[in-house]
Amino acid sequence: QAMFYTWLLSFLCGAILGLLIYACNIGFKNKGIGITISMFFIILSAAVSGKEKAQWLSPVSWTTVNKLDVGSLTHYPTIYYVMTMYIIAIILLIIVIVKTIKKRDVGVMVKGV
């Protein structure tokens, strides 16, 4: 069960980081901004390591079960909070991406026959 949760949380975190990179890159029209923002979240997970209350703000830290409050014994985020935040973030990022893409023209190049 712990392996499944770790896999699921890692998958969702990877999806969020990928969507975040894509959304920032198309939104700001710059490839470096999305990577920089994702790097910030990855570095943030190392910065808040060991600080129970700060873990609530670091989505990359939620990928391991030992950083979650499973038995209501710590101040770490619960699995329900983490899953809810991941799903909300994925939905919001998809909405931002779809709205950004809809505003753009798609240039189609036709080769002469």
Side-chain angles (χ1 to χ4, degrees), residues 15-70:
I16 287 173
L17 290 175
L19 288 169
L20 182 65
I21 291 170
Y22 186 65
C24 290
N25 288 351
I26 63 172
F28 294 110
K29 298 176 185 169
N30 184 337
K31 292 181 181 179
I33 292 178
I35 294 170
T36 303
I37 292 173
S38 291
M39 282 180 9
F40 166 77
F41 282 110
I42 293 168
I43 293 170
L44 179 67
S45 70
V48 300
S49 182
K51 300 173 180 85
E52 289 182 359
K53 294 193 179 198
Q55 295 288 330
W56 290 78
L57 305 173
S58 176
V60 177
S61 298
W62 304 336
T63 58
T64 57
V65 179
N66 64 342
K67 300 286 185 188
L68 299 177
D69 186 18
V70 180

